[in-house]
Amino acid sequence: MSESPSSSNPAPIFGARTLVVLASVLLGGMLLQSILAIVDRHRVSKLEAFSENTAVGDSVFFKIPSPTPAAPLPVVRIGGETLVTASYDKFPCRDTKMVPVARDPVTKLTVYQCRDLPPDTAREPNRYVKTAPNEYLPLRRASGAGF
């Protein structure tokens, strides 16, 4: 009688060594990614910074007095110079088109400049204070001189 040869060793798997190497590389990559994520979490304030360079989100508005005064009203004082209202006609402009120029530390009001005025609405001086979303009030120097 012939008996089939029995072996306690299973047949070798084709590409077993390659599979072990690829699995090791994959696990090593995942370990490296986890370490780098932990390191970056501690540096997030240095890596991610945001600054708003338009008037979007500014909620400090200048309130126009109920009976508008005949004389120009002082609005902000910046760099030793006082800016007053040029007129009480509101200037409609999108908040995304207004760029901050300066900020009054006392009133917390921001002075804006419109970055692209159409030629038919070009105004001098080009300085404004926000009165409501997408509405601005033109400003000028207290002495009457332009910017």
Side-chain angles (χ1 to χ4, degrees), residues 46-108:
K46 294 178 187 172
L47 295 174
E48 297 179 8
F50 176 78
S51 66
E52 183 62 58
N53 58 356
T54 64
V56 174
D58 185 8
S59 60
V60 181
F61 303 129
F62 174 71
K63 293 177 184 30
I64 301 172
S66 181
T68 56
L73 184 67
V75 178
V76 292
R77 185 169 178 83
I78 296 172
E81 210 156 17
T82 303
L83 299 177
V84 298
T85 55
S87 74
Y88 290 102
D89 297 330
K90 291 182 180 177
F91 176 69
C93 185
R94 296 185 56 97
D95 286 346
T96 55
K97 305 244 185 233
M98 295 303 250
V99 180
V101 176
R103 186 176 179 97
D104 185 2
V106 176
T107 63
K108 305 292 187 221

Side-chain angles (χ1 to χ4, degrees), residues 6-18:
S6 65
S7 71
S8 60
N9 292 339
I13 299 174
F14 178 73
R17 178 177 276 182
T18 305

Side-chain angles (χ1 to χ4, degrees), residues 123-135:
R123 296 180 177 204
E124 282 299 325
N126 185 10
R127 300 286 191 260
Y128 304 92
V129 67
K130 193 170 185 175
T131 58
N134 299 320
E135 287 185 356

